[in-house]
Amino acid sequence: MSILVTGGTGYIGSHTVVELLNENKEVIIIDNLCNSSKDVLEKIEKITGKKCKFYEADIRDEKALEKIFNENKIESVIHFAGLKGVGESVEIPLEYYDNNVYGTIKLLEAMKKFGCKKIVFSSSATVYGDPGTPKYVEEMGRGKASSPYGATKAVIEEMLENLYASDKEWTISILRYFNPIGAHESGLIGENPNGIPNNLMPYIQKVAAGELKELSVFGNDYDTKDGTGVRDYIHVVDLAIGHVKALEKLTKPGVYIHNLGTGCGYSVLDIVNTFERVNNVKVNYKIAPRRPGDLAMYYADPTKAKKELGWEAKRGIEEMCRDSWNFVKNK
Ligand code: NAD
Ligand code: UD1
């Protein structure tokens, strides 16, 4: 029996495939390569010494999905495929709904048709909206989405709950990620966005590598310890292991929601300073105005994942900064 990983050549997907192969699972990837490259497959093989089957296809392609389900015995799906640019989603919202929401509908339809009713879904802390308190607990429920991207995650969560209500055979894990950074310790896989990055760590990487002049720190007048924004950064390998644990625990039908974060908040300047210190490089920065839509501070309450999945993040901020830079140096 195999695990189908949608978006498996992407950033979080590739790290999760490595952890699944390390656990001797059979893995099949579907990815349309709109934000990743086929080279990742060789890197995965180099790290694990194991191969996985790859289909270059879009999850919205019904025929392609049927072929995959026909050709393989798929027991469960980990669903990463989707578009993830918060800013971009404001510019092209329909593409986001089409890819993320319609894509998920097509995937769920194919799963249902082939009697595969176990799925782990990549959600985001963004679904909490702005709850008015920095520590996010699963019980707080979903708030108002601050972007079309966030809205697609909230809609998919709701759709999965509706699906379970209609058919109690589904076993559904919703994982709400905080801020994934870092890379595999081998330096072979990591996050490699095209163009000018929007997120903090990819931007820092490019400044440190001399590809961009300086980082703009968006605001230093927030009500936080040094005035800059605070987030819960989580090492991508810890996140990947969280998926393996979630899948292991999916033994009874239901909808299970877990935060995947460390529970620690770090400021933008904490990240810049740690990155400079552990890697012995300079990260030039300037203070810039606040970025519209940003919250001052939030972090996960990771208690539920620890209790129910037996999972907690092990890698600290120094390792996250070191591995992020190691990946860039290795390219
Ligand atoms: P990524 O872009 O690196 O990976 C997504 C992969 O899906 C890519 O390889 C892309 O080519 C593929 N893909 C996109 N649309 C597809 C489609 N229609 N059919 C087939 N393949 C398709 O992104 P990531 O950072 O690895 O994120 C994975 C998932 O986790 C996404 O759903 C994202 O929204 C979610 N997430 C990411 C973060 C983050 O900060 N990285 C945070 C919270 C949630
Ligand atoms: C955003 C999204 C989240 C998504 C994540 C990764 C929201 C509310 N959050 O998180 O859903 O999962 O991206 O795609 O939409 N910063 C700078 N300078 C920069 C870049 C960032 O100072 O050049 C600061 C930000 O102001 C913030 C912190 O760094 O305080 C982290 O920003 P970022 O990496 O973009 O992630 P989030 O905005 O937290």
Side-chain angles (χ1 to χ4, degrees):
M1 294 295 262
S2 308
I3 301 162
L4 177 65
V5 180
T6 76
T9 44
Y11 174 47
I12 306 170
S14 59
H15 288 82
T16 303
V17 169
V18 165
E19 296 307 320
L20 291 167
L21 293 174
N22 284 343
E23 295 285 321
N24 294 317
K25 307 283 187 205
E26 268 177 50
V27 178
I28 296 159
I29 295 176
I30 171 173
D31 202 302
N32 66 1
L33 303 178
C34 71
N35 197 35
S36 56
S37 134
K38 231 176 170 170
D39 304 349
V40 168
L41 297 167
E42 282 160 36
K43 311 273 173 62
I44 291 173
E45 195 182 337
K46 206 163 168 192
I47 294 169
T48 61
K50 291 173 190 147
K51 271 189 193 297
C52 53
K53 212 165 170 181
F54 175 67
Y55 290 87
E56 182 178 340
D58 194 296
I59 54 164
R60 292 165 292 182
D61 180 345
E62 199 174 315
K63 292 248 154 37
L65 281 180
E66 293 204 354
K67 179 171 152 59
I68 296 173
F69 277 95
N70 265 321
E71 287 179 1
N72 303 281
K73 277 196 158 46
I74 296 168
E75 152 196 61
S76 53
V77 174
I78 307 185
H79 178 32
F80 295 104
L83 302 178
K84 63 164 181 174
V86 173
E88 187 186 59
S89 76
V90 178
E91 306 294 323
I92 48 167
L94 298 183
E95 275 89 334
Y96 271 68
Y97 283 95
D98 182 48
N99 205 324
N100 296 2
V101 180
Y102 176 70
T104 303
I105 293 173
K106 297 319 282 178
L107 175 69
L108 293 169
E109 281 175 356
M111 291 176 68
K112 188 173 164 195
K113 183 165 178 185
F114 286 86
C116 169
K117 295 186 178 178
K118 195 185 277 196
I119 185 165
V120 177
F121 171 62
S122 293
S123 192
S124 163
T126 192
V127 302
Y128 288 105
D130 181 3
T133 163
K135 189 172 180 173
Y136 292 180
V137 188
E138 291 84 347
E139 287 66 40
M140 292 190 323
R142 291 180 285 273
K144 181 168 171 21
S146 60
S147 68
Y149 163 75
T152 66
K153 292 293 174 189
V155 166
I156 296 168
E157 285 200 1
E158 186 109 26
M159 193 165 75
L160 290 168
E161 288 170 353
N162 296 158
L163 182 62
Y164 173 70
S166 74
D167 174 357
K168 298 282 183 331
E169 286 179 2
W170 282 88
T171 312
I172 296 167
S173 164
I174 292 172
L175 300 177
R176 292 179 177 160
Y177 314 154
F178 283 67
N179 289 49
I181 59 170
H184 191 265
E185 61 177 5
S186 62
L188 290 171
I189 53 173
E191 189 169 27
N192 194 11
N194 291 327
I196 298 181
N198 294 307
N199 297 118
L200 181 63
M201 184 52 85
Y203 208 105
I204 290 179
Q205 289 168 327
K206 288 201 187 272
V207 172
E211 290 172 42
L212 291 171
K213 187 167 151 255
E214 62 190 358
L215 169 75
S216 291
V217 174
F218 296 141
N220 68 345
D221 56 354
Y222 285 111
D223 185 15
T224 58
K225 63 175 196 171
D226 58 19
T228 67
V230 168
R231 295 289 182 273
D232 184 337
Y233 297 93
I234 173 166
H235 196 295
V236 65
V237 172
D238 278 326
L239 192 65
I241 294 169
H243 291 74
V244 179
K245 296 276 186 197
L247 202 55
E248 264 170 32
K249 296 284 173 185
L250 275 185
T251 51
K252 254 186 30 215
V255 181
Y256 307 94
I257 301 182
H258 294 98
N259 285 340
L260 293 185
T262 65
C264 302
Y266 288 98
S267 72
V268 176
L269 292 182
D270 283 336
I271 302 293
V272 170
N273 294 333
T274 309
F275 194 94
E276 287 187 325
R277 181 168 49 78
V278 301
N279 297 319
N280 201 20
V281 288
K282 186 88 191 102
V283 179
N284 296 318
Y285 70 86
K286 64 167 187 212
I287 303 299
R290 291 181 179 192
R291 183 171 64 177
D294 272 354
L295 297 178
M297 165 156 88
Y298 64 83
Y299 48 87
D301 180 340
T303 315
K304 193 169 177 227
K306 184 171 182 191
K307 197 165 143 227
E308 296 182 356
L309 307 179
W311 171 89
E312 65 183 319
K314 296 257 161 47
R315 293 158 182 80
I317 199 68
E318 299 194 344
E319 218 166 332
M320 297 182 212
C321 289
R322 208 168 35 234
D323 290 341
S324 293
W325 184 234
N326 186 37
F327 171 65
V328 174
K329 279 192 306 183
N330 228 21
K331 270 196 296 180

